[in-house]
Amino acid sequence: MEHLLFHPVGFIVALAMMEGTKELSFNPAVLIASLYVFALAAFLGYQVISRVPPLLHTPLMSATNAISGISLIGSIVIAGSHYDEHQMLASILGCAAVTSAMINVTGGFLITDRMLKMFRKKEAPKTNKPEEKK
Amino acid sequence: MSHAQYFLEATYLIASCLFVLGLKGLSHPDTARRGMIMAAAGMAAAVIGTLFHPDIHNYLYIAIGLILGSSIGIPMAMVPMTAMPQRTALSHAFGALAASMVGIAEYVIHGSKLGPVKVGALGLEVMLGSLTVTGSLIAAAKLQELMRGTPIMFKGQQIFNLALFIVMVGSFVAWIVNPAAQMFFYTMVGCAFVFGIMLVIPIGAADMPVVMSLLNSYAGLSSAATGFVLGNNVLIIAGTLDGFSGFILSILMCRAMNRSITNVLFGGFGAAVTQETAVTGSMREVGLDDVAVQLAYANQVVFVPGYGMATAQAQHACRELGNILEERGISVKYAIHPVAGRMPGHMNVLLAEANVPYSSLYEMEQINPEMQSTDVAVVIGANDVVNPDARDNPKSLIAGMPIIEVDKAKSVVVLKRGKGKGFSGLENPLFFKPVTGMLYGDAKTSLTNLVQAVQKV
């Protein structure tokens, strides 16, 4: 079965087939639900993002970058939880992860907002200029 | 489930919806800001919800991280717009670093208790995260010109990369089969860090738009994999949205250069010497006053900005010139090539900063049909995106890349620092055409002088 791991599609199948013996295994129903969420988010993302005009590609990149700082929530749980062993290492890794995710979130949203503030339409008195007629 | 957990899941659901609505807002400049506020609110909701997570006992490290992160993140949002590409690259590095550290921490804590699917997701998360960290740092260093922007190649590079990749994937699989073997895990992490560097050093600075989008995609997918490890849907959704946005952008960028992703990643563009058409003739230098007269009596002027405008910080001077021409009743348009600059949409942001209304910014497909009726096309620090060789010479390195066809305008003025070649090292026949006049000097100074000269006409 292990040879399936080298196959791009077989990868998930092989993992799922090996599943079920360990303490922290996925409940099959939860795993399937998560795969649905992933697939639907991918389609939705494709639809929504293809509609973003090239004009806004830089803000799009910094916005999605800020959103991917969502790993912040995983980091927070690790930084704040109590573990029986490796407590110190986990807390330090968690704290560093919270820091870098937070850099992404605050920095990303602030600069996106700063950029979007600059995009403006033509001011009203200029609307009757010749180029508007074309 | 306890009350706290219901609350938590509710905030995650709200956050997921707000992220999607926020990105939907980006489909138009008018709704974009509102969209971003929604996405930020979603993030705030998810973070506040998480603070009530039943497993959390100690808030000290969380507080340190949040405060430290904000105090670095806020100044990073205040950089000048010209530094946008390197800031974004740096930001990708931080996002990926967070994801990969969450993964490493999960492995340190749970070790071999993790089931195979979680091990697989964790491996992907850490691998993608780690290679994005070093890759983005190299990209940022290239963009900040801390290291040279030209491709770095050495003998046996492809073989070295292939070997590295095989070792990385091999240890990943070996580790899945035997999750207790820490050695495989740390070998994989180490290889991923080196692989990130190897992935970006052979790529020239002009190809950065593709690399940035790709790294954006990896950082997102790494977050999505974190979602699978933690069994958390909001992470999966947000990560996937980011992953796909980066993926779509990289495809668009490649299409705008008529190259495949593999060609960008492994081509070592500009390092190889290829066939060029022998360009005959000479470049015609024009004087400031001649250009001023041409501009002042034109009906339509199109500005074509490139990365040179960003380095010369000439966007404000460009807008000033545009204003004066508009006051004379001349139609002024700005033509933006999709890969002009160093990241997707780079030129749009710079011109918006200089108060150019977005209704004056035109995409390549919109402006090309109008080129024939354009009196003067002013090329500001752009080179390859207006190189007619891409269209006319099938043997050119950039053959087939769509260009802004300035050579069809009645007259072309090229603002250029010196007589040297462009970034890709390609000769540009546009400069030798009879229709083209070269105005040498710093773009910002030239434009400022043109403003004064036009006022005197």
Side-chain angles (χ1 to χ4, degrees):
Chain A
M1 191 165 60
E2 276 82 14
H3 66 274
L4 270 178
L5 287 171
F6 288 102
H7 190 273
V9 180
F11 185 75
I12 295 175
V13 178
L15 289 180
M17 280 159 71
M18 288 154 70
E19 191 74 12
T21 45
K22 293 287 174 65
E23 193 178 330
L24 285 174
S25 288
F26 251 109
N27 173 343
V30 176
L31 174 62
I32 288 167
S34 293
L35 287 172
Y36 269 88
V37 168
F38 176 72
L40 291 177
F43 280 115
L44 187 65
Y46 187 81
Q47 290 299 324
V48 171
I49 287 150
S50 339
R51 295 215 178 104
V52 178
L55 175 71
L56 293 176
H57 275 170
T58 299
L60 170 69
M61 196 181 260
S62 62
T64 50
N65 193 232
I67 289 174
S68 81
I70 189 71
S71 37
L72 180 58
I73 65 174
S75 327
I76 288 180
V77 176
I78 290 175
S81 294
H82 171 77
Y83 302 107
D84 296 330
E85 42 185 345
H86 306 300
Q87 173 72 61
M88 202 59 213
L89 187 55
S91 300
I92 291 171
L93 282 172
C95 182
V98 172
T99 309
S100 29
M102 194 63 186
I103 293 174
N104 236 17
V105 170
T106 49
F109 279 121
L110 282 175
I111 201 155
T112 311
D113 193 54
R114 229 183 97 205
M115 260 189 280
L116 291 174
K117 251 190 267 181
M118 302 183 319
F119 283 96
R120 52 179 198 87
K121 273 193 200 141
K122 228 174 189 66
E123 52 278 339
K126 285 199 172 174
T127 42
N128 51 1
K129 288 276 172 185
E131 71 215 80
E132 294 290 306
K133 287 177 198 160
K134 284 187 182 173
Chain B
M1 277 213 312
S2 68
H3 289 300
Q5 263 169 314
Y6 279 117
F7 174 67
L8 194 69
E9 290 300 327
T11 57
Y12 288 173
L13 183 61
I14 293 169
S16 308
C17 297
L18 287 174
F19 289 157
V20 174
L21 288 173
L23 287 180
K24 190 170 172 289
L26 274 179
S27 57
H28 197 276
D30 290 346
T31 53
R33 260 195 98 191
R34 198 178 56 208
M36 270 317 91
I37 291 166
M38 285 162 89
M43 183 63 78
V47 170
I48 291 168
T50 308
L51 291 176
F52 291 97
H53 195 286
D55 285 354
I56 296 180
H57 297 286
N58 181 353
Y59 286 89
L60 177 68
Y61 292 104
I62 299 175
I64 294 175
L66 291 180
I67 293 166
L68 205 60
S70 318
S71 50
I72 300 172
I74 293 170
M76 258 181 75
M78 298 304 149
V79 297
M81 284 299 148
T82 40
M84 203 53 216
Q86 47 269 49
R87 196 218 77 94
T88 310
L90 209 57
S91 189
H92 286 158
F94 281 118
L97 185 66
S100 98
M101 274 191 299
V102 169
I104 294 174
E106 283 288 319
Y107 181 57
V108 167
I109 297 160
H110 300 298
S112 52
K113 280 185 283 182
L114 294 163
V117 171
K118 294 201 174 185
V119 168
L122 198 141
L124 281 179
E125 169 194 349
V126 175
M127 203 158 68
L128 283 176
S130 308
L131 71 88
T132 308
V133 173
T134 47
S136 301
L137 288 177
I138 298 287
K142 283 199 173 197
L143 291 165
Q144 184 66 37
E145 286 168 6
L146 294 175
M147 59 189 284
R148 66 192 173 99
T150 45
I152 297 171
M153 314 279 276
F154 57 84
K155 229 179 173 180
Q157 192 167 19
Q158 308 275 29
I159 296 166
F160 179 78
N161 286 354
L162 189 68
L164 194 66
F165 183 76
I166 291 171
V167 174
M168 182 171 78
V169 174
S171 22
F172 178 34
V173 172
W175 176 63
I176 293 176
V177 177
N178 184 9
Q182 295 193 355
M183 191 191 75
F184 290 130
F185 178 72
Y186 292 111
T187 310
M188 181 193 80
V189 177
C191 285
F193 276 122
V194 181
F195 193 67
I197 300 175
M198 299 309 296
L199 205 58
V200 181
I201 57 166
I203 297 172
D207 286 342
M208 278 305 156
V210 183
V211 179
M212 300 267 292
S213 315
L214 215 57
L215 291 171
N216 184 10
S217 175
Y218 290 162
L221 290 177
S222 173
S223 286
T226 315
F228 277 98
V229 176
L230 302 176
N232 186 325
N233 284 336
V234 70
L235 273 165
I236 297 179
I237 293 171
T240 310
L241 289 176
D242 187 24
F244 266 76
S245 136
F247 183 64
I248 293 172
L249 285 179
S250 37
I251 290 175
L252 288 177
M253 294 301 118
C254 281
R255 210 177 282 162
M257 298 197 291
N258 190 37
R259 293 165 65 197
S260 65
I261 293 223
T262 37
N263 181 277
V264 174
L265 289 181
F266 304 110
F269 191 69
V273 183
T274 45
Q275 230 169 339
E276 284 179 39
T277 35
V279 190
T280 48
S282 58
M283 299 197 230
R284 182 171 61 93
E285 196 170 341
V286 285
L288 205 63
D289 295 323
D290 293 342
V291 178
V293 172
Q294 270 187 31
L295 289 173
Y297 293 106
N299 285 319
Q300 172 155 296
V301 173
V302 172
F303 289 103
V304 185
Y307 184 58
M309 185 183 81
T311 44
Q313 309 256 358
Q315 65 271 31
H316 296 280
C318 176
R319 166 61 172 162
E320 252 176 82
L321 183 59
N323 270 354
I324 285 184
L325 295 177
E326 278 189 337
E327 276 162 26
R328 296 180 74 108
I330 300 164
S331 155
V332 176
K333 292 178 180 178
Y334 300 82
I336 317 280
H337 191 279
V339 291
R342 291 291 182 264
M343 73 180 288
H346 192 185
M347 293 297 121
N348 297 301
V349 170
L350 287 183
L351 289 170
E353 186 198 16
N355 274 328
V356 175
Y358 62 77
S359 41
S360 304
L361 305 177
Y362 288 80
E363 288 166 36
M364 177 173 63
E365 293 83 7
Q366 295 171 307
I367 201 76
N368 271 343
E370 286 191 34
M371 272 301 168
Q372 264 140 341
S373 54
T374 299
D375 299 292
V376 190
V378 185
V379 178
I380 308 168
N383 192 345
D384 293 338
V385 297
V386 292
N387 190 339
D389 243 12
R391 180 192 59 209
D392 303 334
N393 175 10
K395 282 179 185 155
S396 168
L397 207 52
I398 55 170
M401 167 173 159
I403 54 162
I404 296 180
E405 299 179 309
V406 286
D407 57 330
K408 291 195 175 158
K410 286 168 198 151
S411 164
V412 183
V413 178
V414 178
L415 270 60
K416 207 165 173 303
R417 190 180 282 276
K419 294 187 184 182
K421 292 176 180 179
F423 186 84
S424 65
L426 288 179
E427 203 68 77
N428 192 341
L430 172 75
F431 302 158
F432 298 90
K433 291 205 173 191
V435 76
T436 311
M438 307 295 289
L439 186 58
Y440 292 114
D442 176 67
K444 191 176 176 181
T445 327
S446 298
L447 286 168
T448 318
N449 292 341
L450 273 177
V451 171
Q452 289 163 352
V454 169
Q455 273 168 330
K456 281 183 207 148
V457 175

